[in-house]
Amino acid sequence: MGDRRPDAGPRHGRGQAGRAAVHRRDRGHRCEVSIWSIPRSSDRGMLHLFILSHFLNANRYPLRSKMLEAEAEREAAISQPDQIVPLLARVAGRHGLPPVALAAMIADWLRRPGLTLPAEALLDRKAADFLSLAQSLAVTVGDAEIQRLRREAAAALGAGSFADADKALAQAELHAIGGASDLSTLPTERRLLIGENRADRATLSFLRTTAEGYREASTRYGEASTLIGLADVERSRAAALDQAKALARISEDFGGRDGYDTAIAALRRLLEGLDRLADTVAFAGAQEALATALEGLAALTGETKLLTSALAHCRSGIEYLSRDEDPSLWRMLKLRIGRIAVTLGVTQKDDELLEEAIAEYASVLAAWDRTDDEPRWLEAEHMISRARATLGRRRSDLSLLERAFNGLNRVSMATERSREPLRWAELQDQMGSVLAAMGERYSEPVVIEEAIAAFAAALQERRQESVPLLWARSLANQAEAMLQLARRNKDKELAQKALAQLMTATETARRSAGSDSLVADLQKRLVAAGAVATKLISD
């Protein structure tokens, strides 16, 4: 169905990471090109060898003496590059960075027991971290010697030689200090240079995909904040914020709650020294970071009160922040308020929260060019559509349901099924649910038939053998739509088929681990469906 009516990572504290660019002369013309070309398929052989060398590096991962004793481990290590190379090439190509640098960033990850592949979302975050540092190193600062050393660091960074890059930055830092024993006596611009250089070294530590690397990064950000101090209060605060964000990323990227707990404590201390009126942007940034950590911890623990607290911090952060002061931060806070409000509004059946979410997302989308950041724009479109769909079903509001379907359809058309099959299936399932709700308001059965077809499309990717709970959910949703159509057409055979399908979904969920809530929901729906089917069949 087409639209029924029109609708109305990062380097912490340094802005959005962009692709660094240089200019060159080509046949007499001045043109802008990326420092690193998109990886070609012919580069993959070199990338394969680079990754393999990290696996077999005797200095950092001594396998030589173990290879004869553990043939299976050797084969696993060698086969891993065959799986990781296409993933790295795809992510590197999407972000425009050297594949070997991305391989170097995840080398420690690949040495972990089990040799599990990193999630693509993690690689996207690491790519953003890398590009942020590359962008910072491209800025001309300091005297000729410092500039030379920073160029040397940038070259080593692009080659994946992070130790050499850190060595060059350490030498630049020592050169800037110039033998001074008391840094407070140095000119302001020199202290800023030293502090910024230490922040670059922090980001370099952050590129290593290990919890230890992140902790080192956090320490270095704290040192950068202290070094800058009163020379630039805003930049010092930004480095302190980076310190807390690095701690939160330990939990986000490696699991566990320790990183979140430590970050939350650090952010609360930071907020104690900020005034929401005098330090509006810094206060809002700290509140957004605190809400992010609380939201992550809530996802880990399942504690709803943490989400409620996160929402309160977002509201506090944006209360006095205008869009003109910091457009990116304003947008982040709006998006997070919307997302948390949708989550709480759905689970707590709170219509006011859903209305708040719709209002927040609408205000952001109205001032947002989709081409500026399409993935996040699509996420916002998806969330506002979820809120409209839920509220529309509760209120039997056809207008809200139509707008929800239009939004979900836009996101679905922009989602590549082959790359994100389960996300695509989720959208089909959600579109089916909206169509089924709309079908109650239309006299013709075609809308319900389209709902059944949408659920069938979702089931093509939500397979019983791989994702049994998702399969059971979509199967049950389709069964209810089938029963809805059977009631409309007085089709007893379809009613029997729908009831049997709902029973299959319930039984599958019962046999699957971690399905208690879904089983309880399906059992209630089965009882209601049974009553409808029995009445229809007996008439």
Side-chain angles (χ1 to χ4, degrees), residues 382 385 404-413 427 430-431 434:
H382 186 192
S385 299
F405 176 82
N406 291 342
L408 291 170
N409 195 32
R410 280 191 289 273
V411 178
S412 174
M413 289 189 293
L427 289 162
Q430 291 172 348
M431 289 166 66
V434 174

Side-chain angles (χ1 to χ4, degrees), residues 342 357-359 361-362 365 379-389:
V342 169
I358 291 171
Y361 278 122
L365 289 168
E379 179 189 351
E381 183 73 12
H382 186 192
M383 294 301 291
I384 194 174
S385 299
R386 280 189 59 200
R388 285 170 172 160

Side-chain angles (χ1 to χ4, degrees), residues 302-380:
E303 296 180 45
T304 302
K305 65 180 181 180
L306 292 172
L307 270 185
T308 303
S309 178
L311 182 59
H313 283 288
C314 285
R315 289 167 173 163
S316 177
I318 206 168
E319 184 178 5
Y320 296 104
L321 180 70
S322 69
R323 181 171 178 267
D324 292 338
E325 287 180 289
D326 193 321
S328 177
L329 179 58
W330 179 87
R331 179 189 297 173
M332 284 193 294
L333 281 163
K334 289 276 188 178
L335 292 176
R336 195 170 301 282
I337 289 172
R339 182 169 63 249
I340 297 173
V342 169
T343 302
L344 292 174
V346 170
T347 58
Q348 298 178 356
K349 296 181 171 54
D350 189 325
D351 288 1
E352 289 186 3
L353 282 174
L354 291 173
E355 289 173 344
E356 179 182 9
I358 291 171
E360 295 291 354
Y361 278 122
S363 67
V364 172
L365 289 168
W368 193 354
D369 185 345
R370 173 173 175 170
T371 59
D372 287 345
D373 188 348
E374 186 169 31
R376 295 184 69 193
W377 187 95
L378 288 170
E379 179 189 351

Side-chain angles (χ1 to χ4, degrees), residues 250-267:
I250 293 174
S251 289
E252 183 178 0
D253 290 352
F254 305 104
R257 63 175 295 161
D258 289 350
Y260 285 137
D261 287 334
T262 310
I264 289 168
L267 288 164

